[in-house]
Amino acid sequence: MQHLETIEGRLDATGLRFAILASRFNDFIVDRLVGGAVDYLVRHGAEKTNITLIRVPGAYEMPLAAKRLAEAKRFHGIVCLGAVIRGATPHFDYVSAEVSKGLAQVMLDSGIPVGFGVLTTDTLEQAVERAGSKAGNKGVDAAAATLEMIRVLEQF
Ligand code: INI
């Protein structure tokens, strides 16, 4: 294969400022995602003093908070962490659609990387599996994606 000029992100969080936006709803799951995200960022060089945790009531509230955080221009990236778990009514569908659409819109409008670490699962067990047990920790994945995007975009 020919050699191609390749732009990719170094996974080095030194000097970067992060907002971790987390919902209180299902906090026993979300707290595991937060722990994973903070651990990842610190192990990749972020100072704890450069990580700010913001709590909102539920996933539905996250897009507005993310928009205001992006507008504040205080952070290089926003890691969004939540857990939407299907119940007996269609509520799940409305909340999960709005949070995913809203956070994507904030990222595109602001140009600031937004990590999507909001679980959308059919069962509580599936959420537990993705919050630091057999299917990994989606908080770690969202932090990693946010860091990689910051470092990729700064080279354009
Ligand atoms: N919010 C969540 O973050 N996860 C859920 O699973 C959830 N369910 O299932 O209801 C949920 N609902 C609350 C919603 O995000 C808002 O906080 C609420 O509707 C008030 O605006």
Side-chain angles (χ1 to χ4, degrees):
M1 194 162 118
Q2 282 177 313
H3 176 74
L4 301 175
E5 183 201 10
T6 304
I7 297 174
E8 45 188 7
R10 288 172 300 121
L11 298 180
D12 176 12
T14 309
L16 296 177
R17 290 184 306 279
F18 294 89
I20 295 184
L21 177 58
S23 53
R24 292 186 196 283
F25 208 102
N26 294 322
D27 63 348
F28 66 105
I29 297 287
V30 178
D31 286 351
R32 304 299 304 268
L33 303 177
V34 172
V38 172
D39 183 59
Y40 178 91
L41 295 174
V42 169
R43 282 192 293 113
H44 286 79
E47 299 284 340
K48 265 201 170 156
T49 50
N50 280 338
I51 303 174
T52 304
L53 177 63
I54 299 100
R55 296 272 194 189
V56 293
Y60 191 79
E61 283 70 38
M62 294 176 87
L64 174 59
K67 176 178 145 85
R68 297 287 293 272
L69 284 168
E71 285 168 357
K73 297 200 185 318
R74 226 181 102 185
F75 303 101
H76 296 94
I78 304 170
V79 184
C80 297
L81 305 174
V84 194
I85 302 172
R86 196 181 286 280
T89 70
H91 193 73
F92 169 94
D93 300 299
Y94 294 103
V95 174
S96 52
E98 290 311 311
V99 66
S100 55
K101 186 159 50 77
L103 292 179
Q105 195 64 52
V106 169
M107 177 156 70
L108 295 175
D109 288 349
S110 68
I112 292 173
V114 173
F116 186 65
V118 181
L119 303 177
T120 53
T121 64
D122 287 329
T123 66
L124 182 57
E125 189 186 358
Q126 288 172 344
V128 171
E129 285 171 1
R130 287 158 181 77
S133 60
K134 72 181 187 201
N137 185 319
K138 297 300 175 193
V140 172
D141 298 348
T146 306
L147 172 56
E148 187 170 347
M149 284 301 290
I150 295 167
R151 292 306 192 191
V152 169
L153 297 183
E154 71 185 5
Q155 298 174 69
F156 291 178

